[in-house]
């Protein structure tokens, strides 16, 4: 008679559907010669027979899934019946025999894993829905563990998943596997599961059993390895605070020694072994895989392998070997892009904006007439932060005759200029020159119709904005909320299409202006360009700050409103706390117009001004505490006069025949910069709609899976969010893992703004003396007390005239610029959004200091010399 419990390597995967996805994956690994522990499998037919024998007809698997889902209480009754019913004597006898064989082969205990016929498929994962029992040490405990795996079929999450994914029949197979008492264990992905990058292997590792990594109980080391070269893209040392081990009949946790936490758990040899196995596994299975692994000493075991499913994976191209690129020489920087998306991004934000950015840069280069290699890696994620591949950028831009890295970095910021000048190989300009007539014709054609196209689009956007704004997501069924998410995606694509056209024009025209100014102005070209781009009227990003100034002026004339604002806590005040009157009405209209904006507004998880108006009330308080100060109209006149002087200077330098061309080019740059700021506001509104969907999706996930916690949707990628809404997938384990990774990235020292290869494992020392050098964003000098701002709540203590010091001057800080004596940032470039606003306000500012927030302390008296791009500490505040 055929055996019931079969050796895993005796299963033929394509004929083993009844044994479940986990068993099939292990069988394929074993038959492929991969190092798997000794294991046996039980078909799901045994589970079905057990249920048929001991449960009422309505509770049997083939009947239950065709009916409405029972209550959690009723499901628990069924699960209890499965756990308490005796096993079939023949199965029990073979289980006992299997246990003895495994012990005889050296296993101290066994791991018992559910292997559902509805999990680990190419389209659905179902990971984490069914039970796993570790460290089983006796024959009786093995029988109990098998029944526990079967009973997990009746868990509410498993039942919801099976119904939503359309399964009308499902069964639970079981894998009985020799327990590996791991020294180090974890998971690896042969594709980045967050970004969808098929060109890298991602390894998570921690001490002890891998279950601590899988269920998110530990912050693991993370290694990202480039497939083409085998070199690391990043190495992050995780906290690894606990080590989960099997001892004395149970799984327990021990603290990890501090010295072991501060080093990588894996050796170089072990990393290379995992990497080589990852490539072999992906080739063997013909697609990306998610693999659980464990090291016992130097011996590696693969415990599980499943497809990286379409349900939980962004769309990605099949990996192919890239051009010969020495990853150890790539220069990465977030100097400019870090202003748009400062700090650590959540997975949802990263999945949306990385795709958006990649497309945008390709279009921008195309508008210049440059070709971009299909395999170009333009954007990277390091420790949750977005970085640009400057080596790739500069290599592409060398197609433009005479354009060198030094010129581009002067516009956008960034370091390693000498390295880029020396190592970036200039590409042939022949193609660029050959396409130049077409490029110019396309540029002219697009811009001739741009105004009309923009007007049509804004009209359509206004209608869609109104429609989406009237939707209450709380009353929508899940498929309708998923449809709303599709509508928001489409709106971002449409907004992005026109915005990226403008961004490409900004880049093209700014590069041409910079080149021309260098010819006629030499060493003073940078300062001249800065002043030529001052005083751009009707700048959308500057409007909120000016509107708040007017609201503050109204509050001065309303004593009750003035008192309520000044005496209130900025972090607690709301519009409804103000007395009826002009100030309250004006602030209400302000939030209607600009409430979608906020600090770190590109991060979808961050609240908007309408949700948290702390910065707005802090700004109003600073205005009201300040006596006098420049009026917006005076500022506008002053900045316009400065621009007009620069234009006269330019006319004096340019020969008469070329003046019309210079004038036209300058007008175009100003026009495109104005449009860029206008469109940035629209894109921010769309990100706000993403937030609306994510907040309600998070509420639904938390109701269904309390273990996922609040804000679960922000820890899913865009495609995962779709699947969670449409299929009601269980996501708690994935969310916990991502949340812990996000918290770990937040706790890591900020990587350098520019680095070569991958970030150093420890922060680089910073100079403690001398001036801090940066890039001048807005001319002038200012002396005052420094105020470091990290969050909107920090703004409550800000006093008018203080120097605002922050990591990056996101546009969300702009209302505070008008009351600041000056601004200093670690990141940013002269053409960034915040720099444009600072020039409109006439606030002296130095960006890209790299170390400002680390060297300057609250209360230090500092000098901001924006004309020279320097910041000096004049007097230290007492510690």
């Amino acid at each position: 008679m055929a055996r019931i419990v079969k050796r895993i390597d005796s299963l033929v995967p394509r004929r083993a559907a009844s044994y479940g996805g986990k068993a099939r994956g292990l069988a394929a690994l074993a038959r492929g010669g991969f190092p798997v522990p000794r294991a046996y499998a039980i078909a799901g037919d045994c589970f079905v027979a057990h249920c048929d024998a001991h449960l009422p007809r309505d509770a049997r698997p083939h009947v239950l899934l065709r009916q409405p889902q029972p209550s959690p209480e009723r499901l628990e009754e069924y699960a209890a019946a499965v756990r308490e019913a005796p096993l079939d004597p023949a199965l029990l006898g073979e289980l006992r025999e299997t246990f003895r064989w495994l012990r005889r082969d050296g296993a101290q205990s066994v791991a018992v894993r559910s292997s559902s016929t509805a999990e680990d498929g190419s389209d659905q994962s179902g990971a984490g829905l069914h039970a796993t029992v570790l460290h089983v040490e006796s024959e009786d405990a093995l029988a109990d563990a098998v029944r526990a795996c079967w009973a997990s079929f009746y868990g509410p999450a498993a039942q919801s998943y099976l119904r939503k994914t359309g399964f009308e029949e499902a069964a639970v197979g079981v894998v009985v596997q020799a327990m590996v008492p791991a020294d180090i264990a974890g998971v690896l992905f042969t594709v980045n599961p967050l970004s969808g990058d098929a060109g890298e292997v991602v390894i998570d590792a921690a001490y002890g059993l891998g279950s601590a990594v899988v269920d998110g109980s530990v912050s693991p080391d993370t290694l990202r390895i480039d497939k083409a070269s085998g070199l690391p893209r990043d190495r992050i040392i995780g906290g690894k605070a606990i080590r989960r081990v099997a001892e004395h009949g149970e799984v327990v946790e021990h603290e990890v020694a501090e010295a072991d936490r501060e080093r990588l758990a894996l050796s170089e040899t072990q990393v290379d072994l995992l990497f080589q196995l990852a490539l072999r596994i992906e080739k063997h299975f013909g697609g990306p895989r998610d693999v659980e692994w464990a090291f016992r000493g130097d011996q590696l075991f693969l415990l599980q392998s499943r497809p990286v499913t379409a349900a939980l994976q962004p769309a990605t191209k099949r990996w192919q070997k890239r051009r010969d690129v020495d990853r150890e020489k790539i220069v990465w920087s977030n100097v400019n892009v870090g202003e748009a998306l400062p700090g650590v991004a959540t997975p949802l934000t990263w999945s949306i904006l990385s795709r958006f950015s990649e497309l945008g840069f390709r279009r921008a280069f195309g508008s210049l007439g440059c070709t971009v290699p299909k395999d170009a890696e333009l954007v990277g994620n390091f420790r949750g932060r977005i970085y640009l591949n400057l080596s790739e950028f500069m290599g592409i831009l060398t197609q433009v005759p005479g354009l060198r890295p030094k010129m581009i970095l002067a516009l956008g910021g960034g370091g390693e200029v000498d390295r880029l000048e020396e190592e970036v190989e200039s590409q042939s300009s022949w193609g660029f020159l050959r396409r130049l007539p077409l490029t110019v014709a396309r540029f002219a054609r697009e811009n001739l119709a741009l105004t009309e196209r923009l007007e049509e689009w804004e009209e359509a956007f206004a209608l869609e904005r109104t429609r989406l704004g009237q939707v209450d997501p709380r009353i929508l069924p899940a498929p309708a909320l998923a449809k709303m998410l599709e509508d928001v995606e489409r709106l971002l694509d449409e907004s992005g299409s026109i915005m990226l056209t403008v961004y490409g024009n900004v880049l093209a025209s700014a590069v041409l202006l910079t080149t021309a100014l260098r010819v006629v102005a030499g060493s003073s070209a940078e300062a001249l360009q800065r002043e030529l781009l001052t005083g751009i009227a009707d700048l959308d990003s500057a409007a909120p700050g000016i509107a708040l100034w007017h609201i503050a002026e109204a509050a001065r004339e309303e004593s009750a409103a003035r008192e309520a604002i000044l005496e209130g806590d900025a972090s607690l005040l709301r519009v409804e706390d103000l007395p009826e009157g002009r100030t309250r009405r004006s602030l209400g209209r302000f939030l209607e117009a600009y409430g979608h904006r906020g600090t770190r507004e590109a991060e979808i998880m961050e609240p908007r001004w309408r949700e948290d108006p702390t910065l707005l009330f802090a700004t109003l308080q600073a205005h009201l505490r300040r006596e006098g100060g420049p009026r917006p109209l005076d500022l506008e006149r002053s900045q316009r006069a400065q621009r007009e002087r620069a234009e006269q200077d330019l006319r004096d330098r340019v020969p008469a025949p070329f003046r019309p061309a210079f004038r036209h080019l300058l007008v175009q740059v100003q026009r495109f910069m104005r449009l860029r700021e206008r469109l940035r506001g629209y894109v921010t509104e769309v990100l706000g709609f993403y937030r609306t969907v994510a907040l309600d999706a998070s509420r639904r996930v938390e109701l269904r899976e309390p273990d996922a916690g609040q804000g679960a949707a922000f820890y899913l990628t865009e495609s995962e969010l779709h699947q969670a809404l449409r299929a009601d997938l269980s996501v708690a384990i994935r969310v916990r893992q991502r949340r812990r990774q996000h918290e770990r990235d937040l706790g890591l020292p900020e990587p350098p703004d520019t680095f070569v290869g991958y970030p150093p494992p420890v922060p680089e020392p910073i100079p403690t003396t001398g001036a801090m050098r940066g890039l001048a964003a807005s001319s002038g000098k200012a002396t005052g007390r420094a105020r470091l701002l990290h969050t909107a709540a920090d703004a409550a203590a800000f006093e008018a005239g203080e120097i605002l010091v922050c990591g990056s001057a996101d546009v969300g800080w702009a209302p505070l610029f008008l009351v600041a004596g000056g601004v200093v940032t670690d990141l940013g470039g002269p053409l960034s959004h915040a720099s444009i606003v600072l020039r409109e306000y006439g606030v002296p500012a130095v960006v890209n200091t790299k170390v400002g927030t680390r060297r300057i302390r609250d209360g230090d008296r500092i000098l901001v010399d924006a004309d020279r791009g320097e910041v000096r500490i004049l007097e230290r505040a007492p510690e």
Side-chain angles (χ1 to χ4, degrees):
M1 189 172 68
R3 287 192 59 82
I4 302 172
V5 183
K6 295 188 176 182
R7 278 181 48 171
I8 203 75
D9 53 4
S10 71
L11 300 181
V12 179
R14 67 178 181 275
R15 300 174 185 168
S18 64
Y19 288 83
K22 197 173 281 102
R24 291 200 313 275
L26 275 172
L29 285 173
R31 293 169 73 90
F34 294 97
V36 299
R38 181 66 63 87
Y40 293 81
I42 305 168
D45 300 340
C46 295
F47 159 73
V48 173
H50 184 82
C51 294
D52 286 350
H54 300 291
L55 293 179
R57 185 177 186 281
D58 286 353
R60 296 170 187 172
H62 63 284
V63 177
L64 182 67
L65 292 176
R66 292 181 169 88
Q67 300 174 344
Q69 182 166 326
S71 68
E73 293 76 19
R74 181 58 56 87
L75 288 172
E76 176 51 34
E77 289 177 12
Y78 299 156
V82 171
R83 289 192 296 267
E84 294 165 6
L87 292 179
D88 174 80
L91 172 60
L92 181 61
E94 288 196 20
L95 279 175
R96 295 183 184 281
E97 187 178 42
T98 297
F99 185 82
R100 291 193 292 270
W101 286 346
L102 287 168
R103 291 293 294 266
R104 188 182 61 207
D105 287 343
Q108 298 302 306
S109 62
V110 301
V112 183
R113 304 176 186 271
S114 301
S115 179
S116 170
T117 58
E119 69 178 351
D120 293 356
S122 60
D123 295 318
Q124 294 93 15
S125 169
L129 293 175
H130 299 289
T132 289
V133 183
L134 301 177
H135 195 41
V136 175
E137 290 190 304
S138 70
E139 296 172 9
D140 289 340
L142 174 57
D144 291 341
V146 169
R147 287 190 289 254
C149 290
W150 286 347
S152 65
F153 173 86
Y154 292 98
Q159 286 294 308
S160 294
Y161 167 77
L162 292 169
R163 283 173 167 77
K164 291 293 184 181
T165 48
F167 286 96
E168 292 188 347
E169 291 188 16
V172 181
V174 177
V175 172
V176 180
Q177 191 175 52
M179 182 82 181
V180 178
D183 299 311
I184 305 167
V187 296
L188 70 79
F189 293 85
T190 66
V191 59
N192 189 312
L194 180 57
S195 68
D197 187 346
E200 66 182 30
V201 171
V202 180
I203 301 171
D204 282 349
Y207 299 113
L209 300 177
S211 59
V213 176
V214 173
D215 66 18
S217 298
V218 69
S219 176
D221 297 336
T222 298
L223 300 95
R224 296 169 48 217
I225 305 174
D226 181 63
K227 285 181 180 175
S229 64
L231 295 171
R233 292 187 177 182
D234 199 6
R235 292 182 173 184
I236 303 170
I237 298 177
K240 305 187 297 295
I242 62 167
R243 181 197 310 264
R244 192 173 285 176
V245 297
E247 59 183 36
H248 310 305
E250 59 182 343
V251 176
V252 298
E253 293 178 354
H254 298 297
E255 286 192 11
V256 174
E258 194 69 33
D260 289 334
R261 297 184 196 184
E262 294 175 356
R263 65 177 178 84
L264 288 172
L266 292 167
S267 69
E268 292 290 338
T269 301
Q270 289 171 325
V271 171
D272 187 61
L273 181 56
L274 283 170
F275 173 67
Q276 296 300 333
L277 270 175
L279 297 183
R280 282 180 53 205
I281 289 170
E282 185 171 62
K283 182 177 180 180
H284 180 79
F285 285 98
R289 304 294 287 187
D290 164 5
V291 181
E292 294 182 25
W293 54 268
F295 273 104
R296 176 63 173 171
D298 292 329
Q299 189 171 7
L300 173 63
F301 296 94
L302 303 184
L303 308 179
Q304 186 173 321
S305 170
R306 62 167 67 92
V308 178
T309 64
L312 295 173
Q313 173 59 38
T316 183
K317 297 177 181 177
R318 184 177 178 85
W319 173 71
Q320 294 180 338
K321 187 174 177 62
R322 288 182 170 139
R323 293 160 292 146
D324 246 347
V325 176
D326 188 346
R327 298 199 64 83
E328 293 184 319
K329 292 184 177 180
I330 293 177
V331 178
W332 295 94
S333 177
N334 72 342
V335 165
N336 205 321
V337 73
E339 180 207 80
L341 184 56
V344 179
T346 56
L348 181 60
T349 298
W350 170 256
S351 67
I352 293 167
L353 293 188
S354 60
R355 173 179 60 84
F356 186 74
S357 299
E358 180 88 15
L359 175 62
F361 287 125
R362 287 181 178 274
R363 287 185 178 175
F365 289 133
S367 72
L368 272 176
C370 298
T371 57
V372 182
K374 290 183 179 180
D375 62 354
E377 183 184 2
L378 301 176
V379 181
N381 183 336
F382 293 90
R383 305 173 192 184
R385 286 91 168 169
I386 188 169
Y387 280 78
L388 303 184
N389 184 341
L390 290 190
S391 299
E392 192 82 77
F393 272 52
M394 300 308 165
I396 294 167
L397 288 172
T398 57
Q399 296 172 49
V400 181
L403 197 59
R404 298 300 304 165
K406 187 174 293 185
M407 183 185 302
I408 300 301
L409 294 180
L411 284 172
E416 300 291 339
V417 177
D418 293 340
R419 177 186 291 268
L420 288 167
E421 288 280 350
E422 179 182 343
E423 295 183 355
V424 170
E425 293 184 11
S426 295
Q427 297 187 28
S428 170
S429 298
W430 167 242
F432 171 86
L433 294 172
R434 180 169 47 83
R435 290 186 300 273
L436 189 57
L438 293 176
T439 302
V440 172
R442 184 181 67 248
F443 183 85
R445 185 173 60 254
E446 287 181 351
N447 288 290
L448 186 64
L450 184 59
T451 301
E452 182 180 346
R453 179 186 172 197
L454 183 58
E455 288 174 354
E456 291 176 356
W457 175 82
E458 285 182 320
E459 184 176 341
F461 183 91
L463 293 173
E464 187 68 355
R465 170 208 284 148
T466 301
R467 185 185 72 81
L468 289 172
Q470 292 173 344
V471 174
D472 183 352
R474 295 171 298 179
I475 65 175
L476 296 179
L481 187 61
K483 176 61 169 61
M484 183 179 176
L485 178 58
E486 287 181 357
D487 292 342
V488 175
E489 289 172 339
R490 187 183 67 254
L491 192 58
L492 180 63
D493 289 341
E494 292 170 355
S495 307
S497 176
I498 192 165
M499 188 184 79
L500 294 171
T501 298
V502 172
Y503 268 53
N505 290 342
V506 169
L507 177 61
S509 57
V511 166
L512 289 173
L513 181 61
T514 300
T515 305
L517 289 177
R518 286 181 177 272
V519 172
V520 300
S523 60
S524 58
E526 185 179 327
L528 181 58
Q529 176 167 299
R530 190 165 60 245
E531 294 178 358
L532 287 169
L533 299 181
T534 295
I536 303 174
D538 302 323
L539 192 70
D540 278 47
S541 298
I546 294 172
L548 274 182
W549 181 90
H550 286 292
I551 293 172
E553 291 303 294
R556 288 183 192 276
E557 300 173 4
E558 290 186 297
S559 57
R562 183 177 186 275
E563 183 177 330
I565 293 171
L566 284 175
E567 295 185 1
D569 183 335
S571 63
L572 300 177
L573 278 170
R574 295 295 182 268
V575 175
E576 52 267 26
D577 297 328
L578 302 182
E580 285 291 346
R582 179 185 169 193
T583 303
R584 176 170 170 166
R585 290 193 300 272
S586 297
L587 197 51
R589 289 193 296 269
F590 177 95
L591 288 176
E592 287 179 10
Y594 306 113
H596 60 278
R597 310 216 71 154
T599 52
R600 296 193 74 231
E601 61 190 12
E603 170 51 64
I604 296 170
M605 190 168 70
E606 288 292 322
R608 274 41 186 167
W609 285 341
R610 66 168 55 99
E611 301 169 74
D612 179 8
T614 296
L615 184 83
L616 308 182
F617 280 106
T619 302
L620 290 173
Q621 288 175 341
H623 276 302
L624 292 172
R625 288 193 294 261
R626 181 183 197 175
E627 295 299 330
R631 296 168 54 86
L633 187 58
D634 296 333
L635 285 173
E636 183 182 334
R637 288 171 178 163
S638 172
Q639 296 307 99
R640 186 169 63 244
Q642 185 180 41
R643 189 192 71 230
E644 289 171 352
R645 288 194 296 271
E647 289 174 351
Q648 182 59 53
D649 185 10
L650 181 62
R651 281 193 294 271
D652 293 341
R653 294 172 181 268
V654 176
F658 299 103
R659 286 174 189 166
F662 267 85
R663 176 62 185 167
H664 177 74
L665 180 57
L666 178 59
V667 168
Q668 291 303 311
V669 174
Q670 293 171 337
R671 175 191 178 216
F672 293 138
M673 289 176 67
R674 190 183 299 113
L675 286 177
R676 185 183 74 160
E677 296 310 300
R678 184 161 137 201
L679 289 161
R680 162 76 184 256
Y682 288 126
V683 169
T684 303
E685 281 195 78
V686 180
L687 296 181
F689 289 129
Y690 270 107
R691 176 170 169 78
T692 298
V693 174
L695 285 171
D696 197 70
S698 297
R699 177 186 64 82
R700 296 169 191 239
V701 169
E702 189 177 10
L703 285 173
R704 187 174 72 237
E705 300 180 82
D707 287 351
Q710 295 183 344
F714 298 106
Y715 298 96
L716 301 174
T717 65
E718 191 175 14
S719 61
E720 290 169 352
L721 179 55
H722 264 298
Q723 192 67 16
L725 288 172
R726 292 197 178 280
D728 205 18
L729 288 183
S730 175
V731 297
I733 290 177
R734 185 171 292 262
V735 166
R736 289 201 303 271
Q737 291 172 333
R738 297 264 180 83
R739 194 190 305 273
R740 182 155 313 247
Q741 181 179 357
H742 187 258
E743 291 170 353
R744 180 207 58 195
D745 289 341
L746 286 171
L748 289 171
E750 191 82 22
D753 56 59
T754 304
F755 58 84
V756 181
Y758 59 91
V762 295
E764 297 175 333
I766 61 172
T768 56
T769 60
M772 287 164 272
R773 298 286 304 172
L775 299 172
S778 178
S779 301
K781 295 181 182 180
T783 302
R785 297 291 175 187
R787 177 70 63 185
L788 268 71
L789 301 183
H790 301 287
T791 67
D794 299 332
F798 194 85
E799 296 287 342
E802 290 184 327
I803 308 297
L804 190 160
V805 182
C806 57
S808 60
D810 184 272
V811 170
W813 292 110
L816 213 54
F817 293 168
L818 263 179
V819 288
V823 173
V824 177
T825 74
D826 293 343
L827 303 176
L831 293 184
S832 68
H833 299 278
S835 295
I836 295 170
V837 176
L838 286 162
R839 285 196 289 274
E840 292 311 292
Y841 292 166
V843 179
V846 177
V847 300
N848 196 27
T849 63
K850 305 182 186 299
V851 296
T853 57
R854 289 186 283 167
R855 279 191 57 184
I856 300 170
R857 297 197 299 256
D858 260 344
D860 285 353
R861 186 166 171 269
I862 65 175
L863 166 67
V864 179
D865 187 345
D867 296 325
R868 300 179 62 181
E870 285 186 357
V871 180
R872 292 183 179 274
I873 299 173
L874 304 178
E875 179 186 339
R876 278 292 189 186
E879 294 196 44

